[in-house]
Amino acid sequence: MKLTTFASAIALAAGLALPAAAQQTVTWWDFFAGGDGVRMKALINQFNEEHPDIQINGTTLEWGVPFYTKIRTSAAVGQGPDLMTYHLSRMPLALSEGVLTPITPEDLEAAGLSEGDFFETALQAAKGPDGTLYAVPFDIHSIVLYYNKSFLEGTRFLDAEGNLTGIESVADFEEAMQAAADNGSETPVTYATGDDGGVYRVFYTLLSQQGGTLISEEGEVLPGDSTEKAVKAIEIMTKWHEEGWQPEQALYEASVALFTSGKSAFQLNGVWEVPTMKDLHESGKLGFEWGAVEVPKLMDTQTTWADSHAWAIPIQGQTEMDPEKRDAVMEVIGWMEKHAIQWADAGHIPAYRPVAESDEFKQMQPNATYSSLADDATYDPRSEVSGVASPSYDAAQNIISPAIHGYMTPEEAVEQVKSELQSRMR
C-alpha cells in the first residue's frame, strides 16, 4: 500500500514538473511562386521538422492585388493568418487600413532579434511615421544588371577577369549597348517594356539616380524639378527604343527569354531571376557566360529601386492574439531570419545583417557582387498610391510604357502621371 502510494506520488510529481507541451499551429500566408515558392516551402518543412511543438500550416495565395485584398477583408473579421509575408512598399496602405499589429521590442526579444540586426534602409521602410515597427524585414530585393559576356568580348567593358567594367554614365551604357549590337546582339538590353513592374522599376531607378522624388512626404507628385527629371528618365528609355536597343512591348516572360536565349547583352531585372540563370547554366542549357552587378551609376547618384519581403502579423478582428501563440509566431520569424542564407539562394540579399555579413554569404555569387545595393537602395515613396500593385505601377504600364514606344511625348506622359496619381490621393 505504501509503495503504491509512493509510486503514485512520484508519477504525480513528474506530471506536474513536466506537463505535456501544447502544440502551437501557426497559420501562415505567403505569395511566393516559382523558385521563391520552392525555397520557402523547404524552409517551412525544415522548421516543422525541428519544432514538434510549433507547426507552420502554410498557404500560398496569388501575388499582388488579390493577396492584399484578401488580407484586408480577412483581417477585419478575424479570419486572417497568424503570420504573413508582406512587401514593405505596401506599408503606407497597410497603416491607412489598420491591418497590421505593431512589432514590439518584447516581440523582437522573443524572436532573438533586435532592430540593430537589420539594414537601416529596410528597417525604416518597416516602420510607421512615428517610428513604430510594423514588420520584420526578411530580404532586400532590387533590379540588377545581368550581362552576357560573349557580346562584350573585345570591348572596354570586360576586364581581364571577364567582369563588367567601365559603365559610369548613361553615355557609357549606351556605348556598351551599341558595342554589343555590333557584336551581334539583336536586342542589347531587355526588360519588361510592356509590363508595369519592368517599366516602373527602370523609370524609378533613373528618376532616383537624378535625386528626383516621385511623391513627396506632403503627397505632391513630382514636386519641384522632379518633373524635369522624370521627363529626362522617360527620354532615356525612349531613346533606347528608338535606337532598337530594347524590345518592343515585351511582357515579362518574353523579356527574360530574350536574355536567356542569348539575344540580349544586358537584362535589367530583379535578383529573383538569379536562380533561373544558375539552373540554366548548371544544366548546360544557357550557352554563354553571365554575370550580374548592381545597376551602375548612370546618372548623379548610386541608387536603385528596391523593396523588401517582410514578416507581418495582421490584426485578428477585435480579438487579441493569445500571448503563447504570438511567442510561437515570433519564434518562427527569428528562425527564418537566422536561416536566411537558404532564402538568399533565390538571389535575394538577407535583411538580417549577421547572415548578410557572414562568410557563407560573402562566398555566394553573384549575390555578394551586388550586395552593396543594400545600403544604396531607394524604396518606393511612403504613399498609399505607391508600392507593389499600386496606381504608380498602373501609371507605368498605362502611361510611361506607351510614351517610351512613341505614342506620346515624355512631357505629355509626365503630366498624365502627375494628374493620375494626384487624383488617387485620399
Side-chain angles (χ1 to χ4, degrees):
M1 185 70 173
K2 292 182 180 179
L3 183 60
T4 303
T5 303
F6 179 75
S8 299
I10 292 295
L12 178 62
L16 292 173
L18 297 170
Q23 186 186 79
Q24 290 285 348
T25 298
V26 174
T27 302
W28 158 307
W29 289 1
D30 68 44
F31 41 66
F32 295 121
D36 278 357
V38 170
R39 287 164 176 81
M40 186 53 71
K41 285 179 175 60
L43 281 166
I44 291 173
N45 290 338
Q46 183 180 341
F47 178 90
N48 285 344
E49 289 172 2
E50 295 179 8
H51 296 79
D53 57 327
I54 304 173
Q55 292 293 288
I56 299 171
N57 182 13
T59 300
T60 298
L61 303 175
E62 185 178 353
W63 184 95
V65 172
F67 180 85
Y68 290 107
T69 300
K70 190 171 180 66
I71 289 296
R72 182 174 64 251
T73 56
S74 63
V77 296
Q79 297 297 317
D82 301 314
L83 174 63
M84 62 184 177
T85 54
Y86 214 84
H87 286 94
L88 290 186
S89 62
R90 297 286 297 198
M91 184 60 66
L93 188 60
L95 296 180
S96 72
E97 295 172 343
V99 298
L100 302 183
T101 64
I103 305 293
T104 66
E106 291 75 21
D107 286 332
L108 289 178
E109 184 177 356
L113 306 171
S114 69
E115 288 194 8
D117 291 332
F118 298 92
F119 284 102
E120 189 65 20
T121 49
L123 187 68
Q124 291 306 313
K127 291 183 175 182
D130 64 352
T132 300
L133 189 68
Y134 284 93
V136 181
F138 188 41
D139 65 32
I140 299 172
H141 55 269
S142 180
I143 58 171
V144 292
L145 184 63
Y146 296 85
Y147 60 99
N148 179 334
K149 299 182 181 183
S150 63
F151 289 123
L152 302 175
E153 291 177 0
T155 74
R156 70 179 184 87
F157 299 106
L158 282 186
D159 64 19
E161 286 73 41
N163 298 317
L164 188 67
T165 188
I167 299 180
E168 300 175 358
S169 66
V170 170
D172 285 337
F173 186 45
E174 292 177 347
E175 181 187 340
M177 286 192 285
Q178 186 56 55
D182 293 341
N183 279 345
S185 176
E186 295 179 23
T187 309
V189 64
T190 183
Y191 62 97
T193 58
D195 272 356
D196 54 355
V199 173
Y200 176 80
R201 292 161 187 148
V202 174
F203 165 76
Y204 192 67
T205 295
L206 292 172
L207 175 66
S208 299
Q209 286 201 355
Q210 297 175 77
T213 299
L214 180 59
I215 303 172
S216 71
E217 293 181 3
E218 295 72 34
E220 184 179 357
V221 180
L222 295 170
D225 64 356
S226 291
T227 295
E228 289 74 28
K229 291 172 179 177
V231 169
K232 178 65 175 176
I234 297 175
E235 286 176 344
I236 291 169
M237 298 165 74
T238 302
K239 180 182 178 182
W240 296 352
H241 167 74
E242 292 172 344
E243 295 290 344
W245 290 331
Q246 70 186 26
E248 183 152 351
Q249 299 286 6
L251 299 182
Y252 185 85
E253 291 78 8
S255 71
V256 174
L258 282 170
F259 187 72
T260 58
S261 64
K263 295 179 180 179
S264 294
F266 297 102
Q267 176 182 215
L268 285 163
N269 205 346
V271 297
W272 50 85
E273 287 298 339
V274 164
T276 300
M277 301 305 300
K278 284 185 174 181
D279 291 346
L280 288 172
H281 187 267
E282 290 171 3
S283 67
K285 298 177 181 178
L286 190 59
F288 59 86
E289 295 296 319
W290 67 285
V293 297
E294 181 178 359
V295 174
K297 180 183 172 185
L298 303 177
M299 310 296 280
D300 305 317
T301 305
Q302 179 67 70
T303 192
T304 312
W305 165 88
D307 201 347
S308 287
H309 299 122
W311 311 111
I313 303 174
I315 62 171
Q316 309 288 326
Q318 300 299 316
T319 305
E320 291 280 336
M321 181 180 285
D322 176 77
E324 291 185 1
K325 172 64 71 70
R326 194 170 181 96
D327 283 347
V329 167
M330 293 311 303
E331 186 168 347
V332 170
I333 292 174
W335 187 94
M336 291 289 172
E337 293 289 352
K338 293 164 188 175
H339 290 76
I341 194 70
Q342 293 162 243
W343 185 241
D345 189 51
H348 306 298
I349 301 169
Y352 183 60
R353 280 186 176 274
V355 173
E357 295 171 355
S358 68
D359 290 339
E360 187 174 1
F361 182 74
K362 290 176 182 178
Q363 299 301 315
M364 186 174 285
Q365 292 296 336
N367 307 52
T369 299
Y370 55 69
S371 62
S372 54
L373 67 81
D375 292 315
D376 300 332
T378 295
Y379 282 73
D380 285 325
R382 301 296 295 251
S383 168
E384 297 172 22
V385 302
S386 192
V388 169
S390 70
S392 293
Y393 274 56
D394 294 340
Q397 182 169 13
N398 299 329
I399 302 171
I400 299 176
S401 178
I404 66 178
H405 288 91
Y407 293 101
M408 67 181 82
T409 67
E411 290 81 4
E412 291 169 337
V414 168
E415 288 307 311
Q416 285 195 29
V417 168
K418 293 176 71 172
S419 176
E420 171 65 20
L421 296 186
Q422 207 72 62
S423 72
R424 302 293 290 272
M425 299 287 186
R426 294 185 183 182

